[in-house]
């Protein structure tokens, strides 16, 4: 078991983390290339891009306080808490920072163990709640794909196993077993992240800009479509 | 497989053969030449299927039908995009029996994308900012290239671009001139000292006026209000007889038609030597002209596009349009046409005027940028076959909103919304009268 754990924490983690970073960089670079293209085109056509509107909308969604109780309040609140928990704990947990320090010599301030415990429980509860909402609300079911059900459960797994590993008194499994599940499930998330809807974590900042620029049509696009489809002489 | 589908709207289709192949060809051509590719690429990656949009769509709220969920509808097109235009989709298709575009899927799109009113309210509640209205616009464009387009819209565009009258309602120019003369006489009776005119084909006039052509048929009060306001501010304006229709259904279903229509309208402005394209009380005409001008016309040839309510507001603020306060005693409310309000473009301007001239102006519970569509948006109001759907599903929330205000007047400054709200009032037996903004302004103009 210990060998497996070492392998999962060492080479497997490095590989999955690298794939996540490179994968996210890939989608970011692709997005940047297309966005720069669209912006250049807009400038060439002397169009004004409403950056203020875009920035305002992006900020409103980054700090969605005003959006919480506007629509689907229970779902929105659960989702926001879920996001806070799953972002804060992995990055600011003391034990994780220690690993980073050992590995690459970098460290940053940690949150207290009590807060980490609360947020971990928060991630588990809200993650399961999101799964239940998806399963029980008809509108959610109607638009859910298989991966939409799997993601909340998969994300809860490292939090649950990590919590159990840190609390031997309530842990029915051995420390090594919980830790192995913890590390393996986290690695799986890293590995799949850039190829799934979770890539929104990197693409989110520009999402409002994309929707705005989408309506900036290419001046000659309609003409070219007509030629390609051989409809030049076609009556309406 | 059916050769030709039957939809809840009439389609003038000629060729029902090989539709999936033709759909993909059209989709590929559009993706190759337009800017929609990067947008779809982004949407396929970030769409989290959170379902927040369900609470902001008035169609879904009334129907409770999952196919009316904006994200459900958008996924129909994203699925095709993912399968045929992404590497992952092509790989998956090679590895296993992934997904193939079928006739049935096209039928589903044909039905669902025309149940959307393209009001774009759902964009405001999408954390990822997905513009489902844009996806509906694109999907309709692709479908129109394989002849799936509501006949009502198609024949209008055909008449506007290839017909004799050059307007969507096929009204002969002579009839329009008669109408204008008649309206001038009416105005003379009400304002004998003023000599309010509808200038026709005046070369060199600053504003060339494009109301929705339906105003000439059905909105005499709005048109008279428009002329009275232009007279009061002493504007140099004209109606051009070779192209006078502000309607541009291209915005609803095809960039190709959108471009052709705005170019024909601009040609009329150039013929008359006008400087500004003045749009009447119409939401989609305003947006299609303003965005169309930027999208399809070279910078040096563009002219500014102004909605007549913007102009009235500007002149009122400058003190050039004098309005008597509190002339309208009955309770009045205002309906925001989505195409001018959703982006915040025209929200406050008409309200400033209404608050001044109305004693009892009230707002609907959700209004302005967040306003609720009348249920006839996106071209659906022109489709008479779906009247029942527009009344009982699309327009249900609007009817409740209007009823709640207890207003005597609902000001509806858009040709599409006007038709829909009229029908809603009848269908839901509302004790409200639908008017245009200028129908009320004319009662308050102080010509002294």
């Amino acid at each position: 078991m210990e060998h497996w754990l070492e392998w999962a924490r060492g080479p497997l983690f490095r590989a999955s983390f690298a794939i996540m970073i490179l994968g996210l960089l890939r989608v970011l670079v692709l997005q940047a290339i297309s966005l720069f293209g669209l912006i250049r085109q807009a400038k060439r056509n002397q169009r004004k891009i409403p950056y203020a509107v875009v920035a305002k909308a992006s900020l409103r969604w980054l700090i969605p306080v005003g959006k919480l109780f506007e629509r689907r309040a229970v779902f929105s609140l659960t989702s926001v808490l879920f996001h806070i928990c799953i972002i804060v704990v992995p990055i600011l947990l003391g034990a994780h920072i220690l690993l980073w320090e050992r590995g690459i010599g970098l460290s940053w301030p940690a949150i207290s163990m009590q807060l980490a415990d609360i947020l971990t429980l928060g991630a588990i509860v809200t993650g399961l709640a999101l799964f239940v909402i998806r399963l029980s609300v008809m509108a959610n079911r109607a638009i859910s794909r298989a991966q939409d059900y799997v993601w909340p459960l998969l994300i809860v797994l490292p939090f649950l196993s990590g919590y159990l590993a840190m609390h031997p008194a309530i842990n029915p499994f051995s420390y090594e077993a919980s830790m192995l599940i913890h590390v393996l499930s986290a690695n799986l998330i890293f590995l799949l992240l850039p190829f799934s809807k979770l890539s929104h974590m990197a693409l989110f900042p520009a999402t409002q800009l994309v929707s705005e620029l989408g309506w900036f049509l290419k001046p000659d696009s309609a003409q070219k479509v007509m030629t390609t489809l051989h409809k030049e002489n076609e009556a309406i | 497989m059916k050769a030709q589908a039957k939809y809840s709207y009439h389609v003038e289709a000629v060729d029902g053969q090989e539709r999936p192949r033709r759909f993909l060809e059209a989709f590929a051509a559009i993706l190759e030449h337009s800017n929609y590719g990067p947008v779809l690429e982004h949407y396929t990656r970030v769409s989290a299927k959170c379902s927040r949009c369900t609470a902001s769509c008035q169609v879904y709220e009334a129907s409770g039908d999952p196919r009316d969920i904006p994200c459900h509808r958008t996924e129909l097109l994203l699925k095709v995009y993912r399968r045929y235009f992404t590497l992952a989709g092509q790989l998956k298709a090679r590895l296993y029996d992934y997904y193939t575009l079928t006739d049935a899927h096209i039928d589903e799109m044909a039905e669902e994308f025309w149940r959307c009113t393209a009001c774009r309210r759902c964009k405001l509640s999408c954390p990822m900012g997905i513009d489902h209205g844009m996806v509906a616009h694109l999907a309709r464009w692709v479908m129109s290239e394989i002849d799936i387009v509501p006949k009502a819209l198609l024949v209008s565009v055909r008449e506007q671009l290839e017909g004799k009258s050059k307007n969507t309602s096929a009204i002969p120019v002579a009839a329009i001139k008669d109408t204008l003369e008649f309206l001038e006489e009416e105005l003379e009776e009400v304002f004998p000292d003023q000599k309010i005119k509808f200038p026709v084909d005046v070369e060199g006039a600053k504003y060339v006026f494009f109301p929705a052509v339906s105003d000439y048929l059905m909105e005499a009060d709005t048109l008279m209000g428009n002329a009275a306001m232009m007279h009061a501010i002493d504007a140099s304006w004209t109606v051009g007889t070779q192209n006078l229709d502000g309607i541009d259904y291209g915005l609803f279903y095809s960039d190709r038609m959108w471009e052709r229509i705005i170019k024909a309208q601009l040609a009329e402005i150039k013929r008359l030597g006008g400087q500004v394209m003045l749009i009447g009380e119409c939401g989609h005409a305003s947006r299609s002209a303003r965005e169309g001008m930027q999208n399809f016309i070279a910078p040096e040839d563009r002219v500014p596009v102004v909605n007549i309510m913007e102009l009235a507001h500007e002149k009122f603020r400058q003190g050039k349009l004098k309005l008597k306060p509190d002339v309208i005693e009955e309770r009045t409310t205002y309906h925001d046409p989505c195409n001018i309000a959703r982006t915040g473009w025209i929200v406050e301007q008409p309200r400033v005027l209404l608050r001044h001239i109305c004693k009892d102006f009230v707002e609907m519970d959700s209004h302005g940028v967040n306003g609720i569509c009348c249920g006839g948006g996106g071209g659906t109001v022109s489709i008479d076959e779906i009247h029942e759907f527009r009344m009982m599903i699309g327009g249900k929330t609007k009817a409740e909103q209007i009823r709640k205000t207890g207003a005597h007047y609902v000001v509806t400054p858009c040709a599409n919304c006007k038709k829909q709200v009229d029908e809603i009032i009848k269908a839901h037996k509302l004790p409200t009268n639908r008017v245009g903004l200028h129908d009320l302004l004319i009662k308050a103009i102080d010509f002294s």
Side-chain angles (χ1 to χ4, degrees):
Chain A
M1 183 82 82
E2 263 179 43
H3 290 301
W4 281 108
L5 192 55
E6 277 312 304
W7 173 75
R9 268 207 289 234
L12 187 64
F13 167 76
R14 281 194 290 273
S16 356
F17 202 77
I19 287 175
M20 176 181 81
I21 297 294
L22 291 174
L24 287 179
L25 275 177
R26 174 182 160 266
V27 292
L28 268 179
V29 167
L30 288 176
Q31 186 194 49
I33 291 172
S34 59
L35 274 177
F36 280 129
L38 292 178
I39 292 169
R40 213 176 41 234
Q41 193 188 100
K43 280 192 180 151
R44 206 167 41 235
N45 296 317
Q46 297 181 24
R47 308 230 16 203
K48 267 191 204 150
I49 299 169
Y51 285 115
V53 176
V54 168
K56 210 173 132 192
S58 305
L59 274 176
R60 280 188 68 187
W61 281 110
L62 191 63
I63 309 157
V65 184
K67 298 278 183 188
L68 276 184
F69 300 103
E70 189 189 60
R71 306 191 204 293
R72 301 273 317 258
V74 176
F75 171 77
S76 303
L77 195 64
T78 313
S79 175
V80 169
L81 288 176
F82 175 71
H83 278 81
I84 292 172
C85 294
I86 65 168
I87 292 169
V88 170
V89 177
I91 299 174
L92 297 182
L93 183 80
H96 285 177
I97 299 173
L98 207 63
L99 289 174
W100 283 110
E101 199 175 3
R102 265 191 230 153
I104 54 170
L106 274 179
S107 78
W108 49 89
I111 51 171
S112 70
M113 275 308 286
Q114 287 87 345
L115 182 60
D117 274 352
I118 293 169
L119 292 179
T120 305
L121 288 174
I124 296 167
V125 171
T126 52
L128 292 175
L130 286 179
F131 177 73
V132 172
I133 291 173
R134 197 168 276 286
L135 208 61
S136 58
V137 178
M138 191 275 278
N140 281 74
R141 272 203 315 275
I143 55 172
S144 295
R145 304 155 294 181
Q147 57 157 308
D148 299 315
Y149 294 104
V150 173
W151 271 119
L153 296 180
L154 182 56
I155 292 171
V156 161
L157 204 53
F159 287 89
L160 184 65
S161 49
Y163 188 82
L164 288 177
M166 288 293 118
H167 296 80
I170 54 161
N171 189 358
F173 312 104
S174 70
Y175 171 80
E176 283 79 13
S178 327
M179 222 39 198
L180 188 62
I181 292 172
H182 176 71
V183 181
L184 282 178
S185 54
N187 284 344
L188 185 61
I189 293 171
F190 295 149
L191 203 64
L192 295 176
L193 198 146
F195 311 105
S196 71
K197 67 173 184 176
L198 264 65
S199 57
H200 74 253
M201 66 181 268
L203 298 174
F204 171 81
T207 197
Q208 300 288 341
L209 183 60
V210 172
S211 282
E212 205 62 48
L213 289 174
W215 284 110
F216 283 37
L217 310 181
K218 230 183 205 170
D220 55 357
S221 60
Q223 299 285 334
K224 284 186 175 164
V225 168
M226 181 175 69
T227 319
T228 309
L229 296 176
H230 307 295
K231 292 194 172 194
E232 295 95 326
N233 301 315
E234 198 176 88
I236 295 168
Chain B
M1 246 182 249
K2 291 178 285 187
Q4 193 173 322
K6 282 201 172 80
Y7 308 121
S8 46
Y9 50 87
H10 297 315
V11 178
E12 199 184 58
V14 275
D15 185 5
Q17 298 301 306
E18 294 189 298
R19 290 194 313 169
R21 181 186 61 76
R22 288 167 55 223
F23 183 93
L24 290 173
E25 273 175 12
F27 200 3
I30 290 171
L31 289 175
E32 185 189 345
H33 298 299
S34 75
N35 287 338
Y36 294 116
V39 179
L40 291 190
E41 184 70 27
H42 181 80
Y43 287 172
T44 50
R45 287 188 200 280
V46 300
S47 175
K49 313 291 174 210
C50 74
S51 83
R52 253 183 129 262
C53 53
T54 52
S56 60
C57 175
Q58 94 278 359
V59 175
Y60 174 69
E61 283 198 320
S63 77
D65 189 337
R67 64 185 172 155
D68 291 328
I69 299 171
C71 211
H72 183 272
R73 193 189 311 114
T74 292
E75 178 63 19
L76 292 177
L77 191 71
L78 291 186
K79 201 172 180 181
V80 183
Y81 175 80
R82 227 181 263 126
R83 159 65 183 86
Y84 292 96
F85 302 100
T86 66
L87 187 64
Q90 285 164 11
L91 271 175
K92 280 186 202 169
R94 276 172 191 269
L95 290 173
Y96 62 99
D97 187 13
Y98 171 43
Y99 161 76
T100 309
L101 177 63
T102 59
D103 244 355
H105 188 95
I106 293 177
D107 286 345
E108 210 179 336
M109 285 194 281
E111 198 59 49
E112 288 193 26
F113 280 112
W114 282 99
R115 285 170 72 89
C116 169
T117 62
C119 78
R120 304 201 293 154
R121 190 166 185 255
C122 48
K123 179 178 183 272
L124 302 179
S125 61
C126 176
M128 290 299 132
I130 293 180
D131 193 332
H132 299 286
M134 188 198 302
V135 177
H137 170 83
L138 170 62
R140 288 170 175 194
W141 184 17
V142 182
M143 288 190 288
S144 78
E145 297 296 357
I146 61 163
D147 308 318
I148 301 173
V149 56
K151 189 178 170 185
L153 298 177
L154 185 72
V155 292
S156 297
V157 170
R158 181 182 293 148
E159 184 60 34
Q160 188 175 19
L161 288 171
E162 293 172 353
K164 271 186 196 161
S165 67
K166 303 283 179 236
N167 64 68
T168 49
S169 296
I171 312 173
V173 172
I176 285 178
K177 280 184 174 169
D178 280 351
T179 305
L180 295 181
E181 274 170 30
F182 171 74
L183 294 181
E184 282 177 355
E185 285 164 19
E186 288 281 301
L187 282 163
E188 202 172 342
E189 271 179 35
V190 188
F191 307 104
D193 315 328
Q194 293 303 323
K195 296 227 176 323
I196 299 170
K197 293 282 173 203
F198 281 93
V200 174
D201 281 338
V202 177
E203 289 187 14
K206 181 178 176 187
Y207 297 99
V208 181
F209 186 46
F210 290 87
V213 76
S214 48
D215 284 5
Y216 289 105
L217 287 174
M218 293 176 296
E219 303 299 334
D221 288 334
T222 304
L223 279 181
M224 288 195 287
N226 293 154
M229 193 279 289
M230 295 303 276
H231 176 79
I233 64 172
D234 198 20
S236 145
W237 68 297
T238 188
V239 174
T241 51
Q242 298 202 0
N243 198 319
L244 44 72
D245 191 358
I247 287 175
D248 188 340
Y249 286 154
L251 176 69
F252 299 145
Y253 79 87
S254 165
D255 287 1
R256 282 211 291 134
M257 299 306 137
W258 188 357
E259 177 179 14
R260 286 179 64 180
I261 295 167
I262 184 72
K263 283 189 168 164
Q265 291 163 336
L266 182 65
E268 177 68 347
I269 300 172
K270 298 283 177 189
R271 177 182 77 88
L272 294 165
Q275 297 161 33
V276 179
M277 183 174 187
L278 180 67
I279 309 291
E281 288 190 10
C282 188
H284 98 269
S286 303
R287 179 171 162 225
S288 58
R290 193 163 92 141
E291 289 185 17
M293 189 71 75
Q294 300 290 317
N295 279 332
F296 302 115
I297 309 296
E300 60 276 16
D301 291 327
R302 288 176 199 158
V303 299
V305 177
V306 173
N307 175 289
I308 195 156
M309 297 193 293
E310 277 184 291
L311 183 64
H313 170 254
E314 186 197 337
K315 298 294 173 186
F316 174 68
R317 281 189 50 194
Q318 292 169 353
K320 289 177 184 161
L321 175 65
K322 293 194 176 61
L323 297 170
K324 292 175 246 173
D326 299 337
V327 173
I328 311 297
E329 304 209 335
E330 297 89 345
R331 175 170 288 188
T332 307
T333 188
Y334 179 81
H335 161 74
D336 286 281
C338 304
N339 280 311
I340 54 176
R342 192 70 67 216
T343 53
W345 173 23
I346 300 175
V347 174
E348 263 313 297
Q349 299 91 322
R351 286 179 166 81
V352 168
L353 302 171
L354 286 169
R355 283 192 206 106
H356 180 77
I357 64 168
C358 298
K359 248 189 188 161
D360 185 10
F361 176 73
V362 292
E363 291 284 12
M364 296 185 204
D365 45 14
S366 191
H367 58 268
V369 173
N370 210 10
I372 290 172
C373 173
C374 61
T380 57
V381 74
S382 305
I383 310 170
D384 286 332
E385 307 91 275
I386 59 167
H387 178 264
E388 186 71 12
F389 167 78
R390 283 192 283 113
M391 293 302 107
M392 296 308 152
I393 293 174
K396 187 174 166 243
T397 318
K398 191 87 249 172
E400 285 161 9
Q401 267 197 313
I402 297 173
R403 195 192 296 278
K404 242 192 239 172
T405 61
H408 177 78
Y409 288 129
V410 53
V411 176
T412 312
C414 166
N416 282 2
C417 307
K418 273 173 179 156
K419 178 170 184 271
Q420 168 77 358
V421 171
D422 278 344
E423 292 174 11
I424 286 178
I425 287 174
K426 213 171 148 192
H428 292 265
K429 299 188 173 61
L430 301 179
T432 311
N433 298 292
R434 193 277 304 152
V435 290
L437 178 78
H438 284 79
D439 307 29
L440 297 185
L441 274 194
I442 193 172
K443 297 180 184 178
I445 294 176
D446 180 357
F447 290 102
S448 65

